[in-house]
Amino acid sequence: ISTLLLFDFLIINDDRWSGGNTHTSEGRMMFLDQGAGFGRDGRGRRAYAMTQLRWSQRFDREVAQALFELDVPALQRELRPLLSPAELTELAERIEEARRYLRRLEAEAPKDSLL
């Protein structure tokens, strides 16, 4: 779930837990509907998504490493046909904010935060 919370923060998907977007199928969690993802950070969407990200304080080490190594300018180039310049800027800001959060967790609990 921590990877999903991170993903939702990055794409600013603020309606994951609004109902009907999580299910169990054959004993596995299923996460549906990223339709609220991206868009502008109006009405405190980013703060709300960060609150949800903070529900988790443990993250997969490989996922964290991929976030730390992510080439943001290359990602922005790939997404340019889909997102506005403002959305691309806000995505880069969220990536950096998520990196800071995971680094802070790692500094506070080096053996427990990135697994």
Side-chain angles (χ1 to χ4, degrees):
I1 290 179
S2 65
T3 299
L4 177 69
L5 294 171
L6 177 60
F7 176 70
D8 280 347
F9 176 72
L10 295 176
I11 69 168
I12 202 166
N13 183 14
D14 59 351
D15 79 338
R16 171 68 59 205
W17 310 105
S18 64
N21 295 327
T22 60
H23 300 277
T24 303
S25 176
E26 298 179 13
R28 298 186 67 166
M29 290 295 298
M30 305 294 289
F31 304 104
L32 309 171
D33 187 11
Q34 284 64 245
F38 293 105
R40 296 298 312 275
D41 178 23
R43 301 178 319 271
R45 294 177 70 209
R46 180 177 179 165
Y48 182 73
M50 177 51 87
T51 297
Q52 292 178 340
L53 177 61
R54 288 187 178 129
W55 290 348
S56 184
Q57 296 181 352
R58 292 182 168 181
F59 293 86
D60 181 273
R61 186 172 299 280
E62 290 180 17
V63 170
Q65 194 61 38
L67 178 68
F68 296 147
E69 295 174 359
L70 182 62
D71 182 343
V72 176
L75 177 64
Q76 288 175 310
R77 282 191 300 276
E78 290 291 323
L79 294 175
R80 194 168 291 135
L82 304 171
L83 301 177
S84 72
E87 290 171 316
L88 292 169
T89 298
E90 289 178 3
L91 172 60
E93 292 169 356
R94 289 191 304 275
I95 290 168
E96 189 53 40
E97 189 172 355
R99 286 173 173 168
R100 284 191 305 269
Y101 176 63
L102 270 61
R103 284 186 182 117
R104 184 177 58 79
L105 290 175
E106 186 177 31
E108 292 172 358
K111 295 183 184 195
D112 290 333
S113 59
L114 303 183
L115 307 173

